[in-house]
Amino acid sequence: RKEVEQDPGPFNVPEGATVAFNCTYSNSASQSFFWYRQDCRKEPKLLMSVYSSGNEDGRFTAQLNRASQYISLLIRDSKLSDSATYLCVVNLNDYKLSFGAGTTVTVRA
Amino acid sequence: ETGVTQTPRHLVMGMTNKKSLKCEQHLGHNAMYWYKQSAKKPLELMFVYNFKEQTENNSVPSRFSPECPNSSHLFLHLHTLQPEDSALYLCASSQDLGPAQPQHFGDGTRLSIL
C-alpha cells in the first residue's frame, strides 16, 4: 500500500464552483500534514498546513480525519489561477515527508 | 521567489558524462534536501543534510553523489547515469529538521539522459 494516495483527477470545474478532494495516508503515527501546490513544470509550493481541528485560508479549507486517516482540501469560488496539481504531504517523523502523486484541478472560464 | 535557486534549469547529458547540479538557499535554513520527481509519480527523497552533515541517504545509487560544503549550498554530482534517471530534480530547504517544518523548493533541474 502506498504511504500517501490521491485521486489523480483531473477535476474539471467552472469558475466559481466548489471543488473538494481527499488524500489517504497509511501510517497512523503520522504527525503533520500539508497541502502543496505545483503548477505545470514548476516547483511545489506550500499551500497550507493541516491542523487537527481543521483550518481555513481564504477560499481554501483543509480537514484532517485521524480515525479514517485522510485529509481533505476544499476550494470555494474557484479561480482560473487555482488550476494546478495539489500534492498531499504527510510527515512520518522529524523530517521525512511523504508526497502523494497529486490531484490535478483545472478551472475553466 | 528566489529563496532557493537551482542551476541549471535544464540539462541534457549522455550516459558517460559527468555533470553537477547546484542548489543555493538564501533563507538562512539549516537543512537541505534533494528530491527526484519522475512523471506522474510522487516526489522521492534522495538525500538530507543538516548543518552540512548528511543525515539521510535514501538508498540512492552511487552514480548520484551529494556534496554540502556549507549550510547554504548543496550539490548533486552525476556520473554514468541511466535513461531512467531522467526526471525533475528538486532541491529544498527547511529551517531545521524539527517536526512540522515546511520545506521550500527550488525551481528544479529538468534532467534528460540520452
Side-chain angles (χ1 to χ4, degrees), chain A residues 16-91:
Chain A
T18 295
V19 59
F21 41 90
N22 294 340
C23 155
T24 59
Y25 59 94
S26 61
N27 192 328
S28 60
S30 298
Q31 301 177 30
S32 305
F33 308 87
F34 309 89
W35 283 105
Y36 278 70
R37 170 197 170 125
Q38 187 171 24
D39 293 295
C40 186
R41 304 181 77 82
K42 301 280 285 181
E43 77 279 16
K45 292 184 179 179
L46 179 66
L47 179 66
M48 59 196 299
S49 301
V50 185
Y51 302 120
S52 296
S53 56
N55 49 295
E56 277 189 19
D57 184 358
R59 298 180 293 105
F60 297 84
T61 301
Q63 296 281 351
L64 168 63
N65 186 316
R66 284 192 183 274
S68 300
Q69 295 181 206
Y70 74 85
I71 66 173
S72 64
L73 182 66
L74 182 145
I75 307 173
R76 287 189 305 278
D77 188 22
S78 300
K79 312 291 185 190
L80 294 176
S81 57
D82 294 334
S83 297
T85 296
Y86 291 85
L87 306 178
C88 173
V89 183
V90 175
N91 175 258

Side-chain angles (χ1 to χ4, degrees), chain A residues 99, chain B residues 33-36 43-46 88-90 103 105:
Chain A
F99 287 78
Chain B
Y33 311 76
W34 279 117
Y35 287 90
K36 175 184 179 182
L43 273 74
E44 301 170 47
L45 180 65
M46 299 175 72
L88 179 67
Y89 288 84
L90 291 159
Q103 294 180 16
F105 287 83

